[in-house]
């Protein structure tokens, strides 16, 4: 089993990588700029010394190249000081600074205009930066070549120190930024840790809800969890109620069935009737349990009650063909309810089948789309139900042994399903003379066409 990944660790690692990449790029850029500035300053000084050396070069009365005065600005007099100049005449004669002692700089490069730059190795093996140019003087037999070289050892050491300092600064800055990011992540995820601890307390029975003062980003999660807890508790309570109702409803049929099967006076017809009643009770409570689970989970798709009724009507016409019943289905085809299609079929099927059982010759179903709900009316021309037993007929899903004989389980099932979906079932006398069952369910507005 894979170990759980820490969100805080993942965020800290991602932030650390971004900080390292950003600071690395910034350090590389800044270090490059500083190094180029230092080298540019060194080359500018070397160019100034070359100009001073050029200014010191003259010709004698015979047109030979001579150095009138030693260039100033560097230690050209101390042997092997790291600052050197050299002048090469047109005839190949070489004049050098005292600092070169018995050494010379590399031969001049030809074929260039202006100042030429080279990195060479000096008399002591030190790195030198050399600047050279050609010089044409009046009265001279040809071009002279002037070269000045300076040791780069101090400059390179300074660049190395700058690199070290910048690296240390950026490393410390990176550590500080990563530490700040980690602290921010830990503090920012603290509400989630509180939620986790509160959920553990709920599981252990020490807390009822997530009564936390959560920030705006976590508050919706807390609210949804509280709603889920409330829904689960309601589901458990409904399950307990179903079990209690079923146990209470089974007591009387089981007692009658036990008495009917006594060897002294067996009553098989009564036993068979009670067995059928027991089967109906179990099926009814199973249907309620399934519907309760569906109603509290994913919302069902919008269903047309008129289309469902039109599918049921042909089956009922065939079932009651010997009685010649007139079954009419009319109403708004655009009406929609957000009810599971199977549950809607069960509700309308029970209402229409109950009407067909008691009708003398006519059953009608109409669908009306009213603001906020859909009203489905099923009427028949049968004997109907007396007003004093209508409420008991709808309550049989709670206390089956208190229902009126002949009312059946269908109306109680419809009432229970309607309540689970936020609707209601009402019984009254119909204009046809029999029973009128009015089923109200929350409606769903269709999107506008076009």
């Amino acid at each position: 089993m894979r170990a759980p990944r820490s969100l805080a660790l993942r965020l800290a690692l991602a932030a650390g990588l971004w900080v390292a990449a950003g600071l690395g790029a910034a350090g590389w850029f800044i270090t490059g700029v500083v190094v180029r500035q230092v080298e540019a300053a060194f080359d500018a000084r070397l160019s100034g010394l070359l100009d001073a050396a050029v200014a010191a070069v003259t010709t004698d009365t015979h047109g030979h190249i001579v150095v009138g005065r030693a260039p100033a600005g560097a230690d050209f007099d101390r042997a092997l000081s790291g600052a050197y100049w050299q002048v090469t005449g047109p005839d190949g004669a070489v004049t050098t600074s005292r600092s070169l002692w018995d050494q010379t700089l590399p031969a001049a490069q030809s074929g260039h205009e202006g100042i030429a730059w080279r990195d060479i190795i000096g008399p002591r093996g030190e790195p030198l930066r050399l600047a050279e140019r050609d010089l044409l003087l009046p009265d001279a037999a040809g071009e002279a070549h002037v070269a000045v070289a300076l040791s780069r050892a101090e400059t390179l050491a300074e660049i190395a120190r700058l690199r070290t300092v910048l690296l240390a600064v950026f490393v410390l800055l990176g550590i500080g930024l990563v530490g700040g990011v980690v602290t921010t992540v830990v503090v920012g995820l603290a509400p989630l840790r509180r939620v986790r601890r509160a959920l553990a307390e709920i599981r252990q029975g020490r807390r009822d809800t997530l009564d936390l003062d959560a920030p705006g980003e976590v508050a919706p999660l807390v609210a949804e969890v509280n709603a889920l807890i409330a829904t689960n508790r309601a589901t458990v309570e409904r399950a307990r109620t179903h079990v209690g109702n079923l146990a209470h409803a089974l007591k009387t049929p089981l007692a009658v069935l036990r008495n009917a099967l006594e060897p002294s006076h067996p009553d098989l017809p009564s036993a068979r009737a009670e067995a059928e009643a027991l089967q109906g009770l179990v099926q009814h409570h199973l249907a309620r349990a399934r519907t309760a689970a569906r109603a509290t989970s994913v919302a069902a798709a919008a269903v047309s009650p008129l289309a469902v009724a039109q599918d049921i009507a042909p089956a009922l016409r065939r079932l009651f063909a010997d009685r010649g019943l007139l079954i009419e289905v009319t109403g708004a085809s655009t009406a929609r309810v957000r009810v599971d299609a199977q549950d809607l079929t069960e509700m309308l099927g029970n209402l229409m089948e109950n009407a067909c059982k008691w009708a003398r010759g006519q059953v009608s179903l109409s669908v009306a789309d009213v603001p906020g709900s859909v009203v489905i009316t099923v009427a028949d021309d049968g004997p109907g139900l007396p007003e004093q037993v209508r409420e008991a007929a709808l309550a049989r899903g709670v206390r089956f042994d208190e229902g009126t004989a002949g009312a059946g389980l269908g109306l109680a099932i419809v009432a229970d399903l309607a309540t689970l979906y936020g609707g209601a079932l009402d019984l009254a006398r119909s204009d046809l003379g029999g029973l009128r069952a009015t089923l109200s369910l929350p409606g769903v507005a269709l999107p506008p066409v076009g």
Side-chain angles (χ1 to χ4, degrees):
M1 181 177 179
R2 294 181 60 183
R5 300 182 187 178
S6 170
L7 181 59
L9 179 61
R10 293 167 65 182
L11 290 176
L13 288 176
L17 290 176
W18 278 109
V19 168
L23 289 180
W28 174 80
F29 175 75
I30 293 175
T31 301
V33 170
V34 172
V35 168
R36 285 192 294 272
Q37 291 294 328
V38 172
E39 291 177 343
F42 181 85
D43 286 348
R45 181 190 176 203
L46 184 57
S47 178
L49 292 175
L50 178 62
D51 290 341
V54 169
V57 176
T58 61
T59 56
D60 58 13
T61 56
H62 302 287
H64 298 145
I65 299 295
V66 296
V67 179
R69 65 183 184 279
D75 191 3
F76 291 117
D77 293 331
R78 185 168 57 88
L80 305 179
S81 64
Y84 314 106
W85 60 262
Q86 176 176 292
V87 178
T88 305
D91 55 357
V94 178
T95 305
T96 63
S97 62
R98 296 180 62 183
S99 57
L100 272 173
W101 198 247
D102 59 349
Q103 304 289 324
T104 59
L105 296 176
Q109 289 184 343
S110 59
H112 62 83
E113 296 181 0
I115 300 177
W117 303 88
R118 284 190 288 165
D119 291 324
I120 61 174
I121 301 300
R124 295 188 303 172
E126 75 273 32
L128 297 179
R129 179 73 165 164
L130 183 144
E132 55 188 343
R133 60 173 294 186
D134 294 328
L135 176 65
L136 179 60
L137 295 174
D139 303 328
E143 287 185 342
H145 184 79
V146 183
V148 177
L150 285 179
S151 173
R152 298 179 64 230
E154 292 185 3
T155 301
L156 293 177
E158 182 66 20
I159 290 175
R161 286 194 296 271
L162 284 174
R163 292 182 187 274
T164 302
V165 171
L166 289 175
L167 177 62
V169 169
F170 278 98
V171 167
L172 292 176
L173 181 60
I175 293 174
L177 288 176
V178 171
V181 169
V182 171
T183 303
T184 302
V185 169
V186 172
V187 173
L189 295 180
L192 293 180
R193 291 193 294 274
R194 291 198 299 269
V195 170
R196 178 180 58 82
R197 290 193 294 268
L199 285 173
E201 292 176 359
I202 291 174
R203 180 173 52 83
Q204 297 166 1
R206 294 184 292 167
R207 184 191 290 262
D208 294 329
T209 59
L210 294 178
D211 50 345
L212 300 175
D213 185 14
E217 293 77 9
V218 183
L221 173 63
V222 173
E224 290 297 329
V225 172
N226 283 331
L228 179 61
I229 293 172
T231 301
N232 287 340
R233 284 180 179 156
T235 301
V236 172
E237 289 301 321
R238 277 195 296 270
R240 290 174 179 171
T241 301
H242 291 329
V243 172
N245 290 339
L246 181 59
H248 182 84
L250 291 177
K251 286 193 301 184
T252 299
L254 286 174
V256 174
L257 183 61
R258 187 166 50 249
N259 292 333
L261 294 177
E262 286 292 336
S264 57
H265 53 279
D267 188 356
L268 295 181
S270 297
R272 186 178 295 107
E274 292 303 327
E276 292 178 356
L278 288 175
Q279 183 180 3
L281 289 171
V282 172
Q283 290 177 348
H284 171 59
H285 277 275
L286 287 176
R288 289 186 65 189
R290 288 194 300 268
T291 301
R294 284 196 296 264
T296 55
S297 59
V298 181
V303 183
S304 169
L306 184 65
V308 173
Q310 289 173 342
D311 291 338
I312 296 173
L316 293 177
R317 292 190 184 101
R318 290 192 298 270
L319 182 62
F320 296 96
D322 56 336
R323 295 174 52 191
L325 293 179
L326 175 62
I327 302 176
E328 296 180 341
V329 177
T330 59
S333 60
T334 58
R336 296 289 187 276
V337 292
R338 196 170 294 282
V339 176
D340 184 82
Q342 180 180 350
D343 290 338
L344 183 60
T345 300
E346 184 171 1
M347 285 189 280
L348 297 187
N350 280 333
L351 290 179
M352 296 175 70
E353 184 177 3
N354 184 76
C356 290
K357 286 180 179 179
W358 298 98
R360 294 188 177 93
Q362 183 177 359
V363 174
S364 67
L365 181 144
S366 62
V367 179
D369 194 357
V370 300
S373 64
V374 173
V375 178
I376 305 165
T377 304
V378 180
D380 62 74
D381 59 353
L385 277 176
E387 184 176 355
Q388 62 271 20
V389 300
R390 293 171 187 163
E391 184 176 353
L394 296 180
R396 289 193 63 192
V398 178
R399 292 291 185 265
F400 286 94
D401 57 333
E402 297 175 3
T404 302
L409 293 173
L411 296 178
I413 292 175
V414 175
D416 289 340
L417 293 177
T419 302
L420 288 173
Y421 282 106
L425 177 64
D426 179 67
L427 301 180
R429 186 171 183 82
S430 72
D431 295 338
L432 299 177
L435 182 67
R436 182 187 70 198
T438 304
L439 176 63
S440 300
L441 294 171
V444 178
L446 292 177
V449 180

